[in-house]
Amino acid sequence: MTITAPIRWGIIGPGAIAKDFRRGVLDSKLGKLEAIATRNPGKESLRTDFPEARILDGYDAILRDPDVDAIYIATPHTGHAEWAIKAAEAGKHVLIEKPMALSAFEVDAIIHAAKKAGTFAGEAFMYRLHPQTQKLWELINSGTIGEVRFVSASFGFQMGRFIPEHRIFASDLAGGGILDVGGYPVSFARFVAGAASGKPFLDPIKVVGSATLNAEGTDNLAAAVLLFDNGITAQVSCAIMANLENVGRIIGSEGTIEVPAFWFANGDRAGGDGKIDIIRKDGSRETVSVGKQRHLYSFEADAVAEAILAGRQEFAAPGMTWADSLGNARVLDKWRSDAGIEYSVEKSVKRINTISGRPLQAGGSVIPKRTIPGVQKPASAVALGFEDFRTFASGAILLDAFFERGGNIFDTAFIYAGGYTEKLFGEWQKSRGVREQAVVIGKGAHSPLVYPDVIAKQLTQSLDRLQTDYVDVYFMHRDNLDVPVGEFVDAMDAEVRKGRIRGPFGGSNWTRERFDEAIAYADKHGKQRPGALSNNFALAEMLDPIWAGCVTASTDEWKQWLKARQIPNFSWSSQARGFFTDRAGRDKRDNEEMVRVWYNDRNFTRRDRAIELAEKLGKSPIHVALAYVLAQDFPSIPLIGPRTLHELDDSLHAFDIKLTPEQVQWLEG
C-alpha cells in the first residue's frame, strides 16, 4: 500500500509520554494524530488530552484500523516488544518509546519482525534528531576541543518515596533507573565516542556497571564505566532517587564541551535553544546555539515520516538506527547484569507466553519431521543447540521460535554453561507444557570426568535441572580409551533399564572402532546396543580437532560406515563454523581456528562448488552446506546453533533445497 503525507499516527497507551508525543505530532510537518488506543476508553480526560484523536477500545483495535499508518508505542517498558511485533505483523510502522525493549534479544526480535513485514521500526530517543545533536557531532569531529578523552553523562531525578507497585520501581514492570533513564547517558556516550572517530556511534569494548537496589530488586541509583577502542572512557550514571547533575560533559585535550539536560536539547519538550557550552583551556567560554526550535518530539515524528515516505525501514543517523539501538541495549544488558538485576517479569513463572504475547503454538511445518531409529516420537530434521543464552527471557525467544517452526529436538549437556542451559530448558518446557512433544538430548561424562560411575551421577543432576525424569537420547560427551568400553555400555544400559534414557544412547566424539566394539559387547552380554552418534559432520572435513578429543565423521570412510550401519549421527558444527560464509577465503587468514581446522584445497574446492550451486539456486552457500548434511543416505540430523531469530530463519532456507545424489557427489568433488 502506498502511503502519502501526512503520516496518520496512532498511539498505544495514553500516559504522560503519549501527551508529549501528541504535541510533537501537532508541531510536525509531515504527521497528523489519527487515533489513540486505550484499555479504558470511557476515561473522560482522554477527550481533553487528545482532542484530535479517535478513541479506540483496546490496543488490538488500532492494529486493525485502516486509517492508521504508524503507531507510537507508549506503554510501560514491558509492552514494547509485544506491541511492536504485533504492529509489524499487522503491517503498521512503529516508533517505540525508549527503551526499545527490555533487552538486546527483544530489540533483535522487534527488528526481525519489521524486516519480515517490510515496515519501519525505530527507537524514540527524541534528542538524537534535534539540530543540536548534529551540531554537537560537528563540533566534536572537527576537533573543537582537540582529542576527546573522557565523557561523563548523567540523568537522575528524585522520586518522593519508594512505592513498590509504581511503574518506576516495580520489578514486574521492569522498573528502576537503568531502563527508564539510563539509556540516555549511554546513548550520549556512544554518540560522542562515535563522533570522535567520524562515525554515527561507537560501541564500547568493555562495560562495568553497578547499582544500589531497592526492595523490588530494581535500581535506585546506578553507574557504569564504558571503555571504547579509540581510547575514550565514559562514566554514565542514572537515578530515580537522587537529583544528579544532569549534564553531558566531553573533556578533550584542548577544552571541554558541556550540554546541560542534553536529552531536552538544553530546554524542555516545547523546544529548547539547543545551546552547547565550550570551555577553552584558558577558562574562556563560548556558547553555540542552533536557535529556538519547534517541539522536541516533532523531529522524531518527521524523521519517521521521512523514512516511511522514502521506503526506509529504520532511522538515518543521528537517529537511532537498528545497529545503534542494539548496541545501546547490549550496554544496558551488561550494566544491569553486573548489578544483579533480573526483572521478575523476565522469569519463567511470569514469561509464560511468546515474545509477541501469545501462547506457544504447536504444529509448525517449516522444519519437517522425520523418524529417527530408536526415538519413539516424530522428530524434527534439525536439532537446536542453545548453550549461549544466560537468561530465561533471552533463551525462550529462540526456543519458542524453533518450536513454532516445527523443531522439537533440543541439544543439552551437563557441562554447557555450568548446567545453566539445562536449567533454562527445564524452566521453558515446564512453563510451555511441551515435555512430551520434545526430544531431549542429554550428554554427560565430559573430559576430564570420563568414567562409567559419572554417568548416573551427572544424569541425576541433569534430570533435576531439566525438570523431567528422562531424556530421549543420551551421549557420553567424550570417550576414555583407558576404560574398557563394556563398562560404559553397562552404565548407560542401566539407565535405560531405569527408564531414565528412553531412546538410543551412544557417544559424542567416538571413533568407529570404539563404537563397533561397544556394539559387539552389548550383543554378547544382552545389553542395549549403542544406537546413536554425535560427531562433527559437514561438507567441509575437519582437518584438526576444534577442541581436544573431538572426532569428525566427514571422511569417506566414516560415510561408508554410517551408511552401512544406518547409525543416526547428530552432527555438530554442521555448517563448518562459518567456513561457507564470507568470513572464510583463500586470502583470509586472520582467524586462526578457521585456518587450522578447515583450510585445505579439498575443502576450498567444496566451498567453491557450494557457492556455485547456491548462485544457481538463489540461496547462500551455508544453505547448501546444511542441505548437504540433510541429504545423506544415513540418518543425519544437524545440530544448529543460531543466536538470533534471523540466524534461525536463515538456516531454515536449507529446507528449500532438495539435493539429488548427483549433486551431493558433485559437491564432494
Side-chain angles (χ1 to χ4, degrees):
M1 181 180 69
T2 302
I3 296 178
T4 59
I7 298 299
R8 299 169 297 179
W9 281 97
I11 298 176
I12 290 180
I17 200 73
K19 298 174 190 176
D20 292 330
F21 185 72
R22 171 243 173 195
R23 288 189 286 271
V25 172
L26 296 181
D27 212 12
S28 69
K29 300 174 182 177
L30 298 171
K32 62 169 289 192
L33 185 59
E34 180 68 30
I36 184 159
T38 174
R39 290 169 173 163
N40 187 12
K43 191 175 180 181
E44 188 58 37
S45 61
L46 290 171
R47 308 291 174 185
T48 303
D49 294 337
F50 304 96
E52 309 83 6
R54 290 181 289 114
I55 309 300
L56 302 181
D57 186 359
Y59 297 169
D60 287 302
I62 207 165
L63 304 182
R64 300 187 299 267
D65 197 306
D67 295 322
V68 170
D69 302 316
I71 297 173
Y72 175 68
I73 298 175
T75 65
H77 310 329
T78 49
H80 289 185
E82 174 184 349
W83 291 103
I85 292 170
K86 285 179 175 176
E89 292 171 347
K92 304 295 187 185
H93 305 284
V94 288
L95 176 65
I96 307 128
E97 182 51 40
K98 59 79 205 158
M100 198 171 195
L102 302 189
S103 69
F105 294 97
E106 291 191 3
V107 171
D108 178 77
I110 293 171
I111 293 169
H112 184 66
K115 284 181 178 178
K116 290 175 65 175
T119 53
F120 175 92
E123 185 174 18
F125 274 96
M126 69 291 191
Y127 83 96
R128 288 286 294 269
L129 291 149
H130 191 279
Q132 181 197 59
T133 300
Q134 184 60 43
K135 172 58 70 173
L136 181 62
W137 192 95
E138 294 167 0
L139 290 171
I140 296 166
N141 186 250
S142 65
T144 301
I145 57 169
E147 179 184 344
V148 176
R149 294 175 175 169
F150 185 77
V151 181
S152 66
S154 60
F155 189 164
F157 59 91
Q158 172 71 56
M159 287 288 287
R161 59 188 178 90
F162 174 63
I163 308 172
E165 66 275 12
H166 193 286
R167 176 191 71 82
I168 291 293
F169 298 103
S171 188
D172 274 357
L173 295 173
I178 292 176
L179 283 198
D180 195 60
V181 291
Y184 284 110
V186 169
S187 71
F188 182 84
R190 293 172 60 256
F191 174 80
V192 170
S197 293
K199 300 176 181 179
F201 63 88
L202 203 62
D203 287 321
I205 57 174
K206 186 174 184 179
V207 177
V208 179
S210 63
T212 300
L213 307 186
N214 53 47
E216 275 288 290
T218 60
D219 56 298
N220 284 340
L221 302 99
V225 175
L226 286 57
L227 177 65
F228 298 89
D229 64 7
N230 59 2
I232 295 174
T233 298
Q235 183 182 48
V236 297
S237 55
C238 63
I240 56 175
M241 290 296 279
N243 292 316
L244 301 184
E245 187 182 24
N246 295 342
V247 171
R249 182 173 288 107
I250 308 155
I251 298 174
S253 59
E254 303 300 321
T256 299
I257 289 176
E258 292 181 350
V259 190
F262 57 89
W263 62 93
F264 276 162
N266 194 22
D268 56 26
R269 296 170 180 84
D273 293 332
K275 294 178 180 178
I276 300 170
D277 293 325
I278 304 169
I279 301 98
R280 308 291 183 184
K281 288 178 69 175
D282 62 6
S284 62
R285 301 179 70 95
E286 175 188 357
T287 298
V288 176
S289 174
V290 296
K292 186 69 175 178
Q293 301 289 324
R294 52 197 168 98
H295 195 282
L296 180 61
Y297 287 67
S298 69
F299 294 99
E300 64 182 9
D302 277 339
V304 173
E306 289 166 3
I308 292 170
L309 296 172
R312 298 197 311 270
Q313 290 187 262
E314 58 181 314
F315 279 128
M320 296 288 281
T321 61
W322 288 345
D324 201 349
S325 288
L326 277 168
N328 222 59
R330 291 184 183 117
V331 174
L332 299 180
D333 286 350
K334 179 61 165 59
W335 190 355
R336 67 184 179 99
S337 175
D338 285 355
I341 301 169
E342 182 182 15
Y343 304 118
S344 58
V345 73
E346 294 178 299
K347 297 180 181 180
S348 59
V349 293
K350 296 288 180 69
R351 187 63 65 94
I352 58 174
N353 290 325
T354 65
I355 188 67
S356 58
R358 304 182 183 96
L360 186 69
Q361 298 295 310
S365 59
V366 176
I367 303 172
K369 293 291 196 300
R370 63 172 300 167
T371 299
I372 298 175
V375 177
Q376 305 305 311
K377 308 169 187 175
S380 53
V382 295
L384 180 69
F386 52 97
E387 63 266 30
D388 291 317
F389 294 99
R390 296 296 179 267
T391 67
F392 176 81
S394 62
I397 294 172
L398 201 71
L399 291 166
D400 288 342
F402 179 72
F403 185 84
E404 290 196 328
R405 286 154 178 74
N408 73 330
I409 306 180
F410 300 92
D411 178 54
T412 72
F414 179 84
I415 198 172
Y416 291 160
Y420 179 74
T421 52
E422 287 185 326
K423 180 176 181 291
L424 191 160
F425 179 80
E427 292 179 352
W428 178 80
Q429 65 88 3
K430 194 79 170 180
S431 70
R432 302 311 193 252
V434 296
R435 176 62 189 96
E436 294 311 310
Q437 299 173 61
V439 176
V440 180
I441 299 172
K443 293 194 287 291
H446 194 287
S447 305
L449 300 176
V450 190
Y451 298 100
D453 62 344
V454 169
I455 291 171
K457 296 173 184 176
Q458 290 189 350
L459 183 56
T460 296
Q461 291 183 63
S462 290
L463 294 176
D464 182 61
R465 294 168 182 163
L466 293 166
Q467 299 193 47
T468 183
D469 56 1
Y470 73 98
V471 293
D472 298 273
V473 182
Y474 182 81
F475 294 115
M476 284 183 55
H477 217 150
R478 291 289 190 273
D479 194 6
N480 183 349
L481 298 179
D482 293 332
V483 176
V485 73
E487 295 183 24
F488 289 128
V489 173
D490 288 345
M492 289 186 281
D493 177 77
E495 298 307 318
V496 172
R497 296 176 188 277
K498 294 175 188 175
R500 302 207 304 173
I501 301 173
R502 295 192 185 175
F505 63 76
S508 177
N509 300 296
W510 276 37
T511 64
R512 300 190 304 278
E513 296 77 12
R514 186 73 158 173
F515 206 94
D516 281 340
E517 186 183 350
I519 290 174
Y521 175 89
D523 290 348
K524 180 178 179 179
H525 294 87
K527 308 289 185 177
Q528 177 167 310
R529 278 182 160 208
L533 188 72
S534 183
N535 282 7
N536 165 251
F537 183 85
L539 177 56
E541 293 182 14
M542 186 175 71
L543 309 173
D544 190 53
I546 299 174
W547 303 287
C550 289
V551 175
T552 182
S554 298
T555 65
D556 295 336
E557 295 79 13
W558 261 109
K559 282 179 280 192
Q560 293 170 8
W561 185 89
L562 289 164
K563 180 180 178 180
R565 288 158 179 74
Q566 290 297 298
I567 296 292
N569 184 51
F570 293 79
S571 313
W572 54 266
S573 291
S574 56
Q575 292 167 295
R577 297 176 66 82
F579 181 72
F580 292 94
T581 71
D582 58 10
R583 289 169 48 206
R586 289 175 175 85
D587 60 339
K588 296 180 178 179
R589 309 189 69 85
D590 57 329
N591 186 319
E592 182 276 331
E593 179 189 278
M594 185 88 70
V595 173
R596 173 176 58 85
V597 176
W598 310 108
Y599 276 31
N600 74 354
D601 289 341
R602 187 182 192 193
N603 280 344
F604 272 116
T605 297
R606 292 181 171 194
R607 184 177 183 274
D608 293 341
R609 295 190 175 197
I611 292 170
E612 181 181 338
L613 182 56
E615 289 177 350
K616 291 179 180 178
L617 298 175
K619 300 294 181 183
S620 297
I622 57 170
H623 303 146
V624 173
L626 187 58
Y628 169 83
V629 179
L630 291 163
Q632 297 303 307
D633 47 13
F634 59 86
S636 178
I637 306 94
L639 308 177
I640 60 173
R643 293 173 174 82
T644 67
L645 295 178
H646 171 75
E647 289 180 0
L648 171 63
D649 283 347
D650 186 63
S651 292
L652 301 187
H653 286 302
F655 292 116
D656 300 334
I657 302 172
K658 305 297 180 186
L659 295 177
T660 66
E662 293 76 19
Q663 287 173 319
V664 169
Q665 292 176 4
W666 178 77
L667 286 168
E668 292 174 340

